[in-house]
Amino acid sequence: MIKRALIRKFFEMKRSLFLVLLIFFSVVNAVAQDDLNSVSLTDEEREWIIQHPSVTASNNTGYAPIDFMSAGNPAGFSIDYVKLLASKVGLNIEFVNYGTWSKTLEMAKANQLDIVHTLSQNRDREKHFIFSDPYIRIPVAIYGRSG
């Protein structure tokens, strides 16, 4: 009888400990998510967003899985990243597709696009655009069969 009572007590303690840890980690996770969701903006940046609540961003249909169309909607890693950033600072994004990459660059140079993502930095483009730090690095290589 004593052995059974001890086993029952042990499992009750484990269940209580599990519940305490579950609540603790839920609270820690919620606090961490709040920290991740908060973005520090300057007064100038906040004012700019108020003045420009919607911006345009490029969408290229042929660069899966980074940037493409799925069921008629912009999709891909970069699309998700732009949407995430926009949601954190309170911007609305209108994705625009000009059909070709050269037309997209032409429209961006003519200030018809606010954001061009998945754009490699080079000297010519530095004359027209301000670049962020890269958010993804994709090595480019040529490969083939040996022999």
Side-chain angles (χ1 to χ4, degrees):
M1 274 314 219
I2 295 175
K3 189 175 182 182
R4 205 175 267 197
L6 286 174
I7 292 172
R8 184 178 304 131
K9 185 73 169 169
F10 173 76
F11 281 111
E12 286 174 8
M13 287 176 49
K14 277 182 80 172
R15 187 176 2 180
S16 297
L17 178 62
F18 173 77
L19 290 174
V20 168
L21 289 174
L22 180 65
I23 292 168
F24 171 77
F25 285 115
S26 296
V27 170
V28 168
N29 185 40
V31 170
Q33 289 297 319
D34 284 344
D35 286 345
L36 289 174
N37 288 330
S38 65
V39 175
S40 297
L41 298 174
T42 65
D43 291 339
E44 182 181 5
E45 290 166 334
R46 279 192 211 91
E47 184 60 32
W48 191 93
I49 291 170
I50 290 168
Q51 298 297 320
H52 307 89
S54 294
V55 296
T56 57
S58 63
N59 174 226
N60 180 1
T61 59
Y63 195 45
I66 306 301
D67 184 12
F68 61 102
M69 295 288 279
S70 177
N73 296 311
F77 176 81
S78 287
I79 298 294
D80 291 344
Y81 191 73
V82 169
K83 286 179 180 179
L84 176 65
L85 292 174
S87 72
K88 290 189 177 290
V89 298
L91 281 171
N92 296 312
I93 302 288
E94 176 191 351
F95 289 97
V96 180
N97 185 313
Y98 289 105
T100 65
W101 183 244
S102 58
K103 183 68 173 178
T104 299
L105 287 178
E106 177 187 325
M107 298 308 286
K109 288 177 183 177
N111 295 320
Q112 298 301 308
L113 275 172
D114 299 308
I115 300 169
V116 180
H117 53 87
T118 60
L119 182 64
S120 298
Q121 189 170 354
N122 64 35
R123 287 187 183 153
D124 181 55
R125 292 175 181 169
E126 288 173 347
K127 296 174 190 173
H128 304 282
F129 308 117
I130 299 169
F131 286 83
S132 70
D133 291 333
Y135 56 91
I136 186 172
R137 294 187 191 276
I138 301 172
V140 178
I142 297 174
Y143 63 94
R145 292 181 290 185
S146 63

